[in-house]
Structures are given as structure tokens and as C-alpha cells.
Amino acid sequence: MNYKNVETNAIRTQLDRTEFLEHSVPLYLTSSFVFEDAEDMRASFAEEKDRNIYSRFTNPNTSEFTEKICKMEGAEAGYAFATGMAAVFSTFAALLNSGDHIVSCRSVFGSTHTLFTKYLPKWNIETTYFKAEDAAEVASLIKPNTRVIYAETPTNPGVDVLDLEILAKVARDHDLILIIDNCFATPYLQQPIKFGADLVIHSATKLIDGQGRVLGGITVGRADLIREIYLFARNTGPAMSPFNAWVLSKSLETLPVRVDRHCENALKVATFLEEHPNVNWVKHPFLKSHPQYEVAKRQMKAGGSIVAFEVKGGVEAGRKFLNSIGMCSLSANLGDTRTIVTHPASTTHSKLSEEDRLEVGITDGLVRISVGLEAVEDILADLDQALRNA
Ligand SMILES: *Cc1c(COP(=O)(O)O)cnc(C)c1O
């Protein structure tokens, strides 16, 4: 069944019941599956039958998780990975050849940047970056060997929003594959395939799990591309574990209600910070002051859980602000029930030169908050006292 609404697909997509008529889907911890006879075995390996053989290929729990995400994203097919980075790497490794070229937004997840600049060049695959605010100029960066346009939206940590329709038009006009990392938006808030993306990647570790427990990743989209990705993964082994798939599939049932509250709290935090005397500026996709507010409204159901802002007083004030935080967590994760505060200039991006940091919009006072599900009054009180001490 494919229901009209994301919420229903997230809950009612499930494996057929076993003889026990269980209501909640059981966990299939099994590495392999048995065959009836020699002919069954032959036909299964020849892919004449759609069935499980070995859990590196498929497993009932990973298939259920994949099918849910496919329905939520409006995708034809997908494959679930052990982590978000396994999904990102395997997607490129499966689809690209030596000599190919990628055009990507510069504001990408740190490990994706390392993949583009350190590992893919080993196989003679080069990347050209564009700035989030220059998305309209992407066409000018395309070369004869360009195969892929890649972007995240909203971006990390600057929460810039890229216009998916513009990127999709450029990709179509030049016969390129458009890949969107939809991690910050989740399949509930934004479905890039509707705007013309060919593939969508998620780190399921973030809001899809939502409770900071397990790692996971997934790529969904065009069936012909997923077939290549599946064959690559089936032979190289980055599969999601059945246990994580079982946890994540259950997490999806509550994703829409959780994300609604994340977004509601985040917008309140953003509005509060915008009026705070110790804050220079605030960015959240659904604040009217956001430069791409209109684009965000067009392609996202709500603004997401991430708020970026700048504390007055540079690096030192940023550090003092973090040291004064009480309830909120200082952690590298995001999309958790618990509010998480990070200061990229002194932590995740401290190895970059100031010039390189500014290039991706990371000013010295920039703070990123992943707004959680605590009572918003308690979140605001903690941020307020820390700002007064900064
Ligand atoms: C965390 C993250 C990833 C990587 O996911 P892991 O599950 O940690 O491997 C990729 N893209 C974005 C936008 C992320 O936030």
C-alpha cells in the first residue's frame, strides 16, 4: 500500500505478519536464509525470485526500513547502509568512473568534504565547489566530464537553503545526476525527488533515529541508479545491520510528531535569539530575515531543528558561552531529543584557517544549536543565562 500522507506511510508500511500475528514487526537477526532445494537456490541467485539470500544483500528489517523511506520520499528504490558516510561514499563509488567530475556546494558535511578532497582524487575524480549563495551559477562550473551535482539543503552549520528546482533544471539540461543530502530536512519536511532530484541520501543517525542511539544511512531514488549502488554495496559490504534497521524503522513511526515539535521549538529559539542583546545575527530557514526564506517556504514543510547564530564578542565569547551552558549538551551529534550546542570555530572546524572558515560561513562567534524536545522555556532559560555570561 502507498498512502497519500507521509505520516501514514511511516507507520503502516510494514512486513507481512508471521504465523504469530504480531502487531509490531519482529527483529530478524539472521545472517542468511535457507533454500527449498537446488532449483530454488539456483533461481534465487539468478535473481529470478525476489527473496532474501544473505543479509549483506537484503534482510527483512533493512527492506522494511528502505521501503518506508522510499514511500516517504517518493522514490522508486533504495539501499540502507551502516552509516550516512557509507551511503555517501558508496553512491559515488558505484556511479562514478576515473576521470569524472563533481560539482558540489562548498557547505557539505565535514567527512563528505574529506571524501571530495582527499579520497576521490586518488581515483582521479575531481570536485569543483560553489558557494551556497551562488547556486544560480552552477551551470558555469559544468565541464564535459561532469557527472554529478551534489548539495545539502539546509546546509551545515550555516543553515543556508538551496533552491532545488534551480539545481534540478541545471542537472536536467546537462544530463547530470542530482544528488541531495536531505539529512537536515528529513523525509517529512522535504522531498527533493518531487523537485527533480535523482537520488536522496540520509544519515539516519540524526533525526530519523532522533534519540542518539544507532548509526545508519540510506540512498533512495531512480531505480536504474539504485541498481548500480545495490550491486556495489552487495559486493563491498557497507550494509545496515538488521538490528539498526529495526530500531530506525520504529523511529520513523514517530518522526513526523517529533520533527513537528523540533521545528516549533527551533523557531521559538530563533525568534528569542533574534531579540537578544548579546546576539549579532540568527539564521533559521523559517525566520523572515533568512535570505532564502521564500525558497525554504516553497520546498520545506517547516524550518527544521537547527539554528545558527553569532554571539557578540568573537571566539572568546563563543567559548565563554559554551562554558556557561548548563542543561543543554555539548556534543557532536544533532537531531537528538536533547538540545545540543556546538561552537564550530573552536571544535569541528578549528583546523581550518580563518579564511577557509569564513569561506563556508563559519565566523568566530558562530554557534550551532540542534534544538531538542525539552520544554522550550527550559531551553530558552539555559541559552539566556549562558549568553549573559558570554
Ligand atoms: C552526520 C551527517 C552525515 C554522515 O552521517 P553518519 O551517519 O554520521 O555517517 C552526512 N551528511 C550530513 C548532512 C550529516 O549531518
Side-chain angles (χ1 to χ4, degrees):
M1 258 313 260
N2 201 345
Y3 295 93
K4 209 175 86 216
N5 294 295
V6 176
E7 295 89 335
T8 313
N9 281 322
I11 291 171
R12 288 288 170 184
T13 305
Q14 61 177 61
L15 298 171
D16 293 339
R17 297 200 172 104
T18 70
E19 58 181 302
F20 298 113
L21 298 181
E22 68 283 346
H23 195 197
S24 171
V25 170
L27 169 57
Y28 291 92
L29 276 185
T30 179
S31 37
S32 70
F33 300 82
V34 291
F35 304 100
E36 303 282 343
D37 52 32
E39 169 52 23
D40 182 28
M41 197 163 184
R42 184 206 62 78
S44 299
F45 270 88
E47 297 188 66
E48 288 163 18
K49 292 181 172 182
D50 183 18
R51 54 153 295 165
N52 296 296
I53 298 174
Y54 190 63
S55 288
R56 169 154 40 80
F57 310 174
T58 59
N59 167 282
N61 293 116
T62 55
S63 297
E64 184 195 68
F65 173 69
T66 303
E67 198 182 331
K68 274 193 191 187
I69 298 278
C70 284
K71 285 188 184 166
M72 294 171 82
E73 289 282 5
E76 293 170 354
Y79 185 85
F81 295 90
T83 67
M85 282 321 299
V88 174
F89 173 68
S90 302
T91 299
F92 285 114
L95 299 178
L96 297 188
N97 293 309
S98 174
D100 285 346
H101 175 244
I102 300 164
V103 173
S104 169
C105 181
R106 174 63 188 87
S107 303
V108 288
F109 185 69
S111 294
T112 305
H113 170 66
T114 306
L115 180 65
F116 287 157
T117 53
K118 181 168 179 193
Y119 294 106
L120 292 184
K122 289 188 5 169
W123 297 292
N124 194 26
I125 295 168
E126 302 295 338
T127 302
T128 304
Y129 282 133
F130 64 91
K131 286 190 189 167
E133 59 270 29
D134 297 338
E137 265 109 76
V138 169
S140 68
L141 304 175
I142 292 167
K143 304 200 271 188
N145 58 340
T146 307
R147 291 283 317 279
V148 165
I149 299 177
Y150 186 84
E152 298 173 9
T153 180
T155 64
N156 178 27
V159 287
D160 288 307
V161 174
L162 279 80
D163 191 322
L164 290 169
E165 270 174 17
I166 291 182
L167 294 179
K169 182 171 186 322
V170 177
R172 238 187 350 262
D173 289 350
H174 295 82
D175 201 17
L176 307 177
I177 302 166
L178 176 61
I179 306 177
I180 300 294
D181 181 333
N182 202 27
C183 175
F184 273 35
T186 79
Y188 173 58
L189 296 182
Q190 172 175 278
Q191 292 101 28
I193 290 170
K194 282 191 192 150
F195 296 91
D198 298 292
L199 292 172
V200 171
I201 296 180
H202 284 284
S203 165
T205 315
K206 313 294 167 53
L207 287 143
I208 291 178
D209 173 53
Q211 290 145 86
R213 301 165 299 183
V214 299
L215 300 164
I218 188 162
T219 303
V220 300
R222 259 169 56 189
D224 59 326
L225 302 175
I226 293 294
R227 173 76 184 159
E228 291 304 316
I229 294 165
Y230 163 73
L231 290 174
F232 175 83
R234 169 178 164 144
N235 287 295
T236 56
M240 176 180 279
S241 84
F243 177 77
N244 285 10
W246 179 78
V247 170
L248 291 167
S249 194
K250 296 205 182 295
S251 300
L252 281 176
E253 296 178 17
T254 57
L255 180 82
V257 287
R258 284 187 287 107
V259 170
D260 274 341
R261 181 61 72 84
H262 276 292
C263 294
E264 193 184 312
N265 281 358
L267 195 55
K268 284 182 186 162
V269 165
T271 307
F272 164 82
L273 291 171
E274 211 165 33
E275 286 157 10
H276 203 286
N278 296 359
V279 168
N280 280 336
W281 53 259
V282 184
K283 257 167 99 182
H284 178 270
F286 268 37
L287 273 185
K288 286 210 176 67
S289 55
H290 191 289
Q292 295 100 23
Y293 172 74
E294 293 301 330
V295 180
K297 280 272 174 178
R298 204 161 57 233
Q299 62 193 32
M300 297 174 75
K301 190 183 171 82
S305 62
I306 309 294
V307 178
F309 74 98
E310 192 178 70
V311 187
K312 276 192 185 150
V315 176
E316 200 39 46
R319 235 193 302 267
K320 269 202 201 143
F321 170 77
L322 253 75
N323 285 334
S324 307
I325 283 287
M327 176 190 79
C328 298
S329 313
L330 310 185
S331 175
N333 200 10
L334 62 93
D336 195 295
T337 53
R338 289 154 282 242
T339 298
I340 295 170
V341 181
T342 51
H343 180 228
S346 69
T347 57
T348 47
H349 295 72
S350 62
K351 291 197 184 68
L352 297 186
S353 67
E354 191 180 349
E355 194 188 343
D356 285 348
R357 278 205 299 272
L358 290 176
E359 174 87 0
V360 275
I362 300 172
T363 58
D364 285 346
L366 179 101
V367 172
R368 186 191 76 188
I369 309 180
S370 162
V371 181
L373 302 181
E374 304 96 335
V376 74
E377 290 76 17
D378 293 327
I379 302 171
L380 297 181
D382 194 21
L383 297 176
D384 186 45
Q385 64 79 25
L387 276 170
R388 287 177 198 286
N389 284 322

